Amino acid sequence: MSITAQNVTKRFGDFVALDNVTVECPAGALVALLGPSGGGKTTLLRIIAGLEVPDSGTVLFRDDDISKRSARDRNVGFVFQHYALFRHMTVFENVAFGLRVRKWPEQKVRDRVKELLHLVRLEEKAAQYPANLSGGQKQRIALVRALAPEPKVLLLDEPFGALDAKVRAELRDWLRRFHDELHVTSIFVTHDQEEAFEVADRVVVLNKGRIEQQGMPIEVFEHPANEFVMDFLGNVNKLPVRVEGGRALLGETGTVELPAKLFGNGASGRTDAYIRPHELDISRTADGGNCMLGRIVHINPAGSVVKVRLLAEDFGLMINVDVTPDRYKALALKPNETVYVTPKSAKIFESDYSI
Ligand code: ATP
C-alpha cells in the first residue's frame, strides 16, 4: 500500500511545523524521515497515523483519501522510542493486545502470537513481564506487537533511539527483515543519517518544516540538493574558496584550484566548497602541484578506513582525509609529518555565495 502526504501544512499557534510538505512512499518501501530536531518529522508521522490533524493537505493510502478517518480506522502499526509496553501484561498478552481488541478468535490469537515471538526469537519470554526484558528485547516485542494485527502500514518514531549502538545495529537488521517478510509499507523517523542510509529504500530530509530533498539513499548522498543536506549528512570538509571565471580557488593567494562541481550559474564570489574525506588524497610528493601542505595531527587506523586529521597551515584549516588501510601502510604515515593533500572533487552550492 503506497502512502502519500500531499501539501500538508501544520501550525501550532503561529509556529509553522510543516510547510506544504509532499512525501510519497511507494508500496512496500521502507522510508526514513531524516532531519535535525524540531524539523517536523514526528508531526508528519503523527498526521499520517491520524494522531494529529493537519491544517491543510491530504493523506492518501493507495488512492484513498483517508484524511478524515480516525487513527483506529487507518490500520497502522505504531512503534515509539520508549517501548510503551503494558507493564502489567505478560509478553504474550502485550503482543496479543491488538488482536483481542479486534476480537480475533482465541486459537488464531495464540497461533499469531507464537509465530511472531518465534520470529523475534523470544518464545521463551512469553510468560514474563516487560520489566524482565532488556531494552533491545522490549523493542523487539514492541515491533511485533505493532505488526500483530497485520497492518499494511508501519510507522516508527525513533524506534531505536534509546538503545546502545550494538543493540541498535541488531534491531536495524530485524526491522529490515520484518519489513521484507511481512510486506508492509514502513516509515521511520530518525535523526541518525547512518541509520537512515543503512536501512531505508528512500530518504526524506526534513528541516524547519520543509523538505530539503527526497530520494534513494545513494542519490541523496552522491547528489545532495543543497549545502544543508551536504552538511547534515556529516563527515564533510567545508573550505572557504573564491570562485572566479568558473574556477574555485582556495584561500587568499589562490594557489590551489579545487576540481569543484559548481551548482548554479558559476558567478564569481566567495563561498564554501564541500569535500568529503574520501575525496582527498595524501601523497609524499606534490604530483602536479595542485595540492596543499598538511601536517598530520592525528591518525585513527581503527576501522575499514584510516582517518587522518591534518592542519593545512598555509590556509589555517583543519582537514579530515580518509585513506584505505593499504594506502596508509604504503605511505607509512606518522603524526607530525608534513604531507601533500590533493582534492579529487568538491561541491559548491550557488545559494551560499557572497560577492
Ligand atoms: P525531534 O527529532 O526532536 O523529535 P521532529 O523533527 O520530530 O524533532 P516535531 O516533533 O515534529 O519535530 O516538532 C516540530 C516542531 O513543532 C518543534 O519545534 C516542536 O516544538 C513543535 N511542536 C510539535 N508538537 C507541538 C505541539 N503539540 N504544540 C506546539 N508545538 C509543537
Side-chain angles (χ1 to χ4, degrees):
M1 171 127 71
S2 60
I3 305 168
T4 310
Q6 218 163 41
N7 305 110
V8 169
T9 294
K10 176 71 186 172
R11 291 186 193 83
F12 295 107
D14 288 341
F15 180 78
V16 183
L18 291 173
D19 186 4
N20 197 25
V21 163
T22 296
V23 171
E24 289 180 31
C25 312
L30 177 50
V31 177
L33 297 183
L34 174 67
S37 184
K41 307 179 295 293
T42 297
T43 304
L44 181 59
L45 200 74
R46 288 173 58 82
I47 286 173
I48 294 170
L51 298 170
E52 197 81 71
V53 181
D55 294 315
S56 58
T58 45
V59 178
L60 306 174
F61 282 1
R62 208 178 290 126
D63 294 327
D64 292 342
D65 182 347
I66 50 110
S67 311
K68 299 273 181 302
R69 264 189 239 165
S70 71
R72 219 182 134 170
D73 292 339
R74 294 188 189 194
N75 191 23
V76 301
F78 213 107
V79 180
F80 301 92
Q81 176 172 357
H82 295 287
Y83 333 110
L85 295 178
F86 303 119
R87 282 156 43 164
H88 60 286
M89 286 186 191
T90 62
V91 163
F92 183 97
E93 287 305 325
N94 262 283
V95 181
F97 180 77
L99 308 179
R100 298 211 192 283
V101 169
R102 287 168 180 76
K103 307 216 179 322
W104 281 34
E106 187 58 28
Q107 192 53 51
K108 257 188 94 185
V109 171
R110 295 195 169 282
D111 293 347
R112 178 73 175 152
V113 175
K114 223 175 129 191
E115 176 200 340
L116 289 167
L117 289 181
H118 175 72
L119 212 62
V120 281
R121 310 272 179 272
L122 287 173
E123 301 103 308
E124 80 282 7
K125 300 283 185 194
Q128 305 258 336
Y129 286 86
N132 302 328
L133 303 180
S134 71
Q137 289 170 337
K138 280 184 203 161
Q139 204 54 317
R140 266 143 69 190
I141 295 299
L143 211 53
V144 287
R145 187 182 61 173
L147 290 164
E150 300 171 337
K152 289 279 173 276
V153 171
L154 180 64
L155 304 175
L156 309 104
D157 194 355
E158 296 265 0
F160 315 135
L163 303 166
D164 68 53
K166 187 165 177 292
V167 180
R168 253 180 114 99
E170 211 179 278
L171 275 167
R172 279 180 207 166
D173 290 346
W174 283 105
L175 174 63
R176 187 68 240 185
R177 216 169 326 144
F178 283 139
H179 173 86
D180 292 342
E181 278 176 25
L182 300 173
H183 308 291
V184 284
T185 306
S186 309
I187 305 181
F188 78 104
V189 163
T190 181
H191 57 256
D192 178 342
Q193 52 96 4
E194 204 181 301
E195 183 160 288
F197 280 64
E198 224 175 277
V199 182
D201 301 308
R202 275 181 79 74
V203 175
V204 179
V205 185
L206 259 175
N207 176 39
K208 295 183 180 160
R210 288 168 182 259
I211 292 182
E212 299 280 356
Q213 190 170 7
Q214 55 183 317
M216 290 189 327
I218 183 89
E219 286 166 11
V220 176
F221 191 77
E222 290 191 353
H223 306 288
N226 53 41
E227 64 259 28
F228 173 84
V229 177
M230 187 86 200
D231 222 2
F232 186 73
L233 300 185
N235 285 338
V236 70
N237 294 289
K238 194 171 167 181
L239 311 182
V241 291
R242 276 184 301 131
V243 175
E244 275 175 24
R247 297 165 73 212
L249 304 168
L250 189 62
E252 290 303 318
T253 51
T255 45
V256 177
E257 180 178 349
L258 296 179
K261 188 163 180 189
L262 300 176
F263 291 84
N265 60 14
S268 297
R270 284 181 197 286
T271 184
D272 290 314
Y274 291 83
I275 310 182
R276 296 211 182 276
H278 68 271
E279 295 173 326
L280 292 146
D281 200 10
I282 293 178
S283 51
R284 292 274 180 199
T285 53
D287 320 312
N290 205 23
C291 51
M292 2 173 195
L293 277 173
R295 184 169 57 79
I296 299 177
V297 176
H298 186 254
I299 301 175
N300 175 7
S304 53
V305 292
V306 176
K307 296 184 179 302
V308 186
R309 194 162 163 75
L310 307 103
L311 175 64
E313 272 159 322
D314 292 348
F315 303 98
L317 293 170
M318 290 302 290
I319 295 174
N320 294 309
V321 182
D322 288 351
V323 294
T324 63
D326 285 349
R327 181 98 181 121
Y328 167 62
K329 270 189 213 136
L331 291 167
L333 300 175
K334 293 195 185 54
N336 278 322
E337 287 180 333
T338 297
V339 290
Y340 293 94
V341 180
T342 309
K344 293 181 285 183
S345 71
K347 288 191 176 69
I348 290 175
F349 298 93
E350 184 198 5
S351 60
D352 213 19
Y353 275 28
S354 59
I355 309 283

